[in-house]
Amino acid sequence: MTEFGMTAFEFAAAVAPEIDRVTIAVHPIARPAAVELFHAAGLERGGLLVPLLTPLLAGPALAAELHSIARYAPFGEFAAGLDQQVRQGLLIRSGDVVAASPTGRELLVGLRKVQGAAVGELFADHADVVEDLRPLADRALAAATGGVAFALMKPPDTADSAAHGLHDRITALRYHRADAHVTAWEAAGLSADAVQQLDGGPVAEQLEAETNRLAALPYVDFSDAERAAFLAGLTRLARI
């Protein structure tokens, strides 16, 4: 036990809901502008372009790997969503390799700008928190060894603001934990469907404990003060 009151294992559990809230908070703010962008492109909604924004902008990827971003959807359903966007001219699929078409890439770039504007608005009054958290988030990412989803969600090299760059990194840490959870339930011989059916109980508790153990890696070398600062900063951003 540390003076701060948490081991890295316990810290991984405590920081997870704050990371979730910070990651998700941008979506309601971005949604109106994103919907306008979709409508201008003749689309009712963005479909998989939204969750797959980062990996599709990074370049071609395997459909099976992209599925890790939406791993609780059956693969057949996920693949059908990809094929629909191929028919709409937004994606190109050659076998299992998926890439954005020129039209799709233009839409993705627009979505990225919408996201950046929303993050800038969300964190506008918290530049000090953004500045303090960025080096800690960078260190956490450098120490992390995640799975497929984490690799796909590697933060882009550039962002249109410090706030957007931080949000990219916090989002990547969220997927690091998601990969840890998958590793835990696969080791227990469970499927994604079976995990979704769990409603508490010893199996769920064991999975959560193993997830926390694996998800703790990015924070092992943080000092007590750094863990306290990281959690406090994320909590401030998550409560906006």
Side-chain angles (χ1 to χ4, degrees), residues 48-61 66 69 105 108 111-112 115 149-157 164 167-169 171-172 175:
L48 292 173
L49 293 181
V50 177
L52 300 182
L53 173 61
T54 295
L56 287 175
L57 276 176
L66 290 171
I69 305 298
R105 185 168 185 81
L108 289 168
L111 276 175
R112 173 79 176 158
Q115 182 190 68
F150 176 68
L152 287 172
M153 295 302 291
K154 177 184 176 182
D157 291 334
H164 199 187
H167 190 268
D168 289 338
R169 284 152 177 78
T171 301
Y175 280 93

Side-chain angles (χ1 to χ4, degrees), residues 7 11 27 30 36 38 45 47 103-104 127 132 139-140 144 177 180 204 216 223:
T7 62
F11 181 75
H27 297 315
E36 286 186 17
F38 300 145
R45 56 184 63 86
T103 299
D132 290 344
R139 280 182 51 203
R177 183 181 177 86
S223 68

